[in-house]
Amino acid sequence: MDEINTGITKNKHLLGWIAECVKLCKPERVWWLDGSDADKERLTEEAYKTGDFLPVNAEKHPGCHLHRSAHNDVARTEKLTFICTRDEGDCGPTNNWMAPSEAYPKLSSILDGSMAGRTMYVIPFSMGPIDSPARKIGVEITDSAYVALSMMIMTRVGIKALDALGDSDDFTRCLHGKADLHESRRFICHFPEDNAVWSVGSGYGGNALLGKKCLALRLASWQGKKEGWLAEHMLITAITNPAGKTHFVAAAFPSACGKTNLSMLVPPKDFAEKGWKVQTLGDDIAWIRVGEDGRFYAINPEAGFFGVAPGTNEKTNPNAMKTISKNTIFTNVLQRDDGSLWWEGHSKAPEKGIDWKGEEWTPEKGSPGSHPNSRFTAPLSQCPSLHDDWETPKGVPLSAIIFGGRRAKLAPLVFEAFNWQHGTFVGATMASETTAAATGAVGVVRRDPMAMLPFIGYNVGDYFRHWLERGAAASNAPKIFHVNWFKRNADGKYLWPGYGENLRVLKWIIERCDGRISAVKTPIGLMPRKEDLDLRGLDLSEDAVEELLAIDTQEWLAEVESQAEFLSKLGERVPDEIYVERGKLKDRLMGNKG
Ligand code: GTP
Ligand code: SPV
Ligand code: MN
């Protein structure tokens, strides 16, 4: 059998596992990724040969490539995602469960011989800076050149990861095969007890780039529970005020609810002139440990962005536009006649083009030109707003954790939790309208605890308990807030301008962290008065501001009932503290003392 870069490791555990996978998948060739530029170039050539990459206008998009995924394979498939623990109780009611004794044979039979005539890429990678004590080493096997090249952007790939591994057995075994891409043979299975992920039948995003949601959230959350840290679906950003003081904050919003955008926020003009600055450290995942000083320290385990294309433009996210101006892989966007790329919300629609399905498209066609979950894959190092400490081994200390979601009604623009326990309850019961980031209905309100519903790798009740314990272990835990950029008026229009203007809300948040501004106690939490928010220069009516900050007691009472219904489905491991907080919220809403 043909081999490329063979001999780059002597690690017996790794060699043994690769041999097993070769025996099962029967590839024609094995290609070990060493992470060098030469290797990347050769792999890119290969991706053009296999059709994984399609050429784009190289003047407008230097170093960029277009990928079109199978039409039935455009988002994470939560229904086909499983946590395979020996005991079903450890998986819990929010995940699909499959016994390992069922999963291994089932997936083996699909993978058997599935790489015949194809190349098996072996990708050693690190999640987290190589020199960080928090980093984890994984090795992904895949038969997709697109996945291999995406991993080279999203993670730290090659010899450096192998060197960090040495001869240790402590690496996540990530086996990915496209097989025939048929949904009836698509399974994304996690084996936390074996530190392994097997994924078959999908070539898309979180289903296939196994370092991301599979390792860095589902398996990492399990490991964090055992080892005393948190793996969260959070952006990390730095906000510096005109006095030069920087606050790091992390924010958990569900998929396609604004993390990438907030992490790259550009301050409104008058804020920028006064000296406000926002810098990016991560846009999707944070690993958080309690430091010796009792603060929470967060690292971003990723090295790239896998961001939503639609809605991204020079106005909404100029930093993203610069980040993706070169060396970027675009997935499922539209291609104009001159070979340049376009998506909904990019600029004026072209008169015609080739849509994400590879078909002729005109605006009259009535269907989107780019898929609503079309994405860009670009290195963090290209982000103009990147913070200098983005790779600092210990991570950055968090002043605040922000939860948020898409809620047309109910949730006000911002509120602050009374304390850690209340904040944990706020996160545990948060809800958001579903988006195109996962297959299924879009726009349906669902509970999404800590924006982690599809990513908690173990029993959700134990996860809430872990949150309570981590907060208790930190003498200086961050303050917890909740935001909603997506409240709508009676006409269905967004009340809040969002994007850069969100800094106005962040300003209140960090002033709260500094103890420099007061808040009003309401039944749901601490809130700014109208005049506490810096809305100068913003074209927003008094009515809109009032609506944004309004709390409708009847709606909230209905919410509390719906929270109870949700919690009742989560089983016995939900900590009493969560029910206590729900009871207190109800009492406060009913006008009792809370
Ligand atoms: P994942 O990568 O799926 O985890 O998504 P994300 O949370 O990073 O979301 P992202 O920042 O990519 O935003 C998703 C969509 O929401 C894009 O179409 C954005 O343009 C839009 N969006 C982001 N921030 C705002 C905002 O403040 N207001 C409004 N109205 N839309 C926003
Ligand atoms: C998400 O869905 O939250 C994403 C994209 O960030 S994916 O990598 O597909 O999970
Ligand atoms: Mn995400």
Side-chain angles (χ1 to χ4, degrees), residues 233 253-261 283-284 306 308 310-311 375 406 437 485-486 494 498-499 502:
H233 193 200
F253 309 155
S255 301
C257 289
K259 289 183 300 301
T260 301
N261 278 269
D283 81 323
D284 200 49
F306 184 60
V308 176
R375 298 224 170 211
R406 278 178 194 266
W485 316 139
F486 299 95
Y494 288 128
Y499 300 103
N502 293 335

Side-chain angles (χ1 to χ4, degrees), residues 311-324:
T312 307
N313 62 50
E314 287 297 344
K315 262 202 159 145
T316 56
N317 196 342
N319 283 323
M321 293 303 280
K322 289 194 190 75
T323 306
I324 64 180

